[in-house]
Amino acid sequence: MAYYYPEPSHTFSEYLLIPGYTSENCIPDRVSLRTPLVKYRKGMEEPAISLNVPLTSAVMQSVSNDTLAIALAKEGGISFIYGSQSIENQAAMVAKVKGYKAGFVTSASNLTPEATLADVLDMKKKNGFSTVAITEDGTATGKLLGIVTSRDYRVSRMDPSDKVRDFMTPREKLITAPKETTLKQANDIIWEHKLNSLPIVDDDDHLMYFVFRKDYASHKENPLELLDSKKRYLVGAGINTRDYATRIPALLEAGADVLVIDSSEGYTCWQKNTIQWVRDHYGDTVKIGAGNVVDKDGFRFLAEAGADFVKVGIGGGSICITRETKGIGRGQATALIEVAAARDQYFRETGIYVPICSDGGIVHDYHMTLALAMGADFLMLGRYFARFDESPTNKVMVNGAYMKEYWGEGSNRARNWQRYDLGGSTKLSFEEGVDSYVTYAGPLHDNVEASLYKVKSTMCNVGVTNIPDLQRDAKLTLVSSVSIVEGGAHDVTLRSTSTVK
Ligand code: IMP
């Protein structure tokens, strides 16, 4: 006879936290959200990689590209660049994140001296930048011959056909800096000479980057940014259980700091084989997470297979229709609670702490706090990040409101069938995800700051100032459907509507 779980499975919205004692030391500014990303001998050593905030972005085409990865690393989290693209393209995205120097910007507007004022105006209109690099071949890395800013021309007095070479600020009048220049030195030069931008050039006088006056300040605003020993942003990458022998070396060569097997269901021999291949070729130097699982058996299997972290969640993603198409999955809260207990049990037995990631289904900011309280070491979010400026998808106007596109990896649009691959050669595929819109929400920084401030405030209500204490001390209660109604505004007529996230 089949096994029947005695309890129904629950999700985040069915739980609430009960406040604990809050002392005067327990204020949001004192809360640390630092958390381990990969397994370690807790109490004996520090994890090889920790996050400064417990957020990771989903391994999805519509979420995690290089732009989002840089924005999230600035906040202290990490992105996993999607694997449902060619190995070359994925490696190039990873390389872009690793090559990114905070404050050093590759020139976006470039022309040759033979271009005209009309070309300059055209370019300014198209991409909004007023600094145009003038290089020998008109590329961002050509030999630097001058720059044009709005100080160099007067549209009312000049002819649109005037040549750039006749009105640009020429190379000999430019103040530049060599490639070794640090951001701090560049900033000093900018201040000393009252510049708006400083071109950084290589030994052959080819343009490498611009440092802009405004960027130094923004760099200083990111005290939690997640950097490697060479001060480059950390970045992860998704892999699959088919082409790992060629994909992994390319991703590591590009600089990936951590890998994750991206699959809807991880309790499989394919995941074990993939982890084994990594251990055979790289020992413990390469970090690899696995998943997804929703119970203790799945967790133990992957922990014993050598996973560096385990992702939890099947069917809870906002774009996911796995439960409807296949009838598998589990309420995210129940899955998380069981897997967290299995992780702690595994730690007691082996001394090895394997972090777990709650993947999918975070709708409200308070769900983040609940997931952490239920034992998640960090979270993976798709819909949340898809709404921001930095996500890779188009911003479109739908019914008078700005939206961003967001589609599942199992949708016809992404066609990431490998994620749902269960071996064999049959190529029959069916959709497990939808193509959708999400409400546009602006810059990642502002949103993450607001969400995490809420998380920290709630942690203070619980009376804790770090995630391990939250996991140990939180008191949670299931709520009845009637008390959920009580939790919203009720029995009043609202004067204005706002959506609380
Ligand atoms: P969200 O944060 O609720 O939007 O969920 C994101 C998570 O959904 C991802 O990290 C994946 O685990 C999962 N996911 C992504 N694409 C699909 C899909 O097409 N079908 C089912 N689950 C998906």
Side-chain angles (χ1 to χ4, degrees), residues 137-211:
D137 58 2
T139 68
T141 51
K143 197 173 171 57
L144 183 66
L145 301 179
I147 62 171
V148 169
T149 70
S150 38
R151 290 188 204 165
D152 294 308
Y153 54 84
R154 266 176 100 179
V155 179
S156 57
R157 298 280 176 93
M158 287 169 59
D159 194 280
S161 63
D162 285 355
K163 294 276 192 197
V164 161
R165 68 171 131 79
D166 298 326
F167 63 87
M168 69 184 185
T169 303
R171 174 68 184 91
E172 58 275 16
K173 290 204 181 146
L174 288 179
I175 293 167
T176 62
K179 62 175 190 297
E180 305 73 32
T181 311
T182 63
L183 190 58
K184 173 147 186 1
Q185 290 165 337
N187 191 53
D188 289 344
I189 299 171
I190 285 172
W191 277 91
E192 217 168 285
H193 298 276
K194 298 187 187 306
L195 305 174
N196 277 326
S197 65
L198 175 70
I200 307 292
V201 291
D202 67 12
D203 297 341
D204 300 323
D205 215 30
H206 283 243
L207 179 63
M208 298 176 73
Y209 310 102
F210 277 116
V211 176

Side-chain angles (χ1 to χ4, degrees), residues 187-257:
N187 191 53
D188 289 344
I189 299 171
I190 285 172
W191 277 91
E192 217 168 285
H193 298 276
K194 298 187 187 306
L195 305 174
N196 277 326
S197 65
L198 175 70
I200 307 292
V201 291
D202 67 12
D203 297 341
D204 300 323
D205 215 30
H206 283 243
L207 179 63
M208 298 176 73
Y209 310 102
F210 277 116
V211 176
F212 292 99
R213 172 184 285 260
K214 59 178 170 41
D215 286 349
Y216 186 68
S218 81
H219 174 63
K220 293 201 89 171
E221 277 168 18
N222 300 310
L224 293 178
E225 60 188 358
L226 202 60
L227 301 169
D228 66 16
S229 56
K230 294 186 190 148
K231 300 238 178 293
R232 300 174 306 178
Y233 285 132
L234 290 194
V235 64
I239 59 155
N240 62 68
T241 54
R242 290 261 174 180
D243 66 10
Y244 52 83
T246 39
R247 192 173 288 269
I248 291 179
L251 293 171
L252 295 176
E253 173 72 26
D257 296 286

Side-chain angles (χ1 to χ4, degrees), residues 358-379:
S358 177
D359 177 14
I362 300 282
V363 179
H364 301 287
D365 288 338
Y366 83 87
H367 287 172
M368 295 183 186
T369 326
L370 286 180
L372 296 170
M374 288 170 183
D377 295 286
F378 57 97
L379 319 171

Side-chain angles (χ1 to χ4, degrees), residues 10 34 67 74 85 109 128 137 222 250 266-267 275 321 368 393 450 457:
H10 296 286
R34 199 167 156 81
T67 322
K74 278 185 188 168
Q85 58 178 328
S109 295
D137 58 2
N222 300 310
Y267 190 0
I275 298 169
I321 51 171
M368 295 183 186
T393 69
S457 303

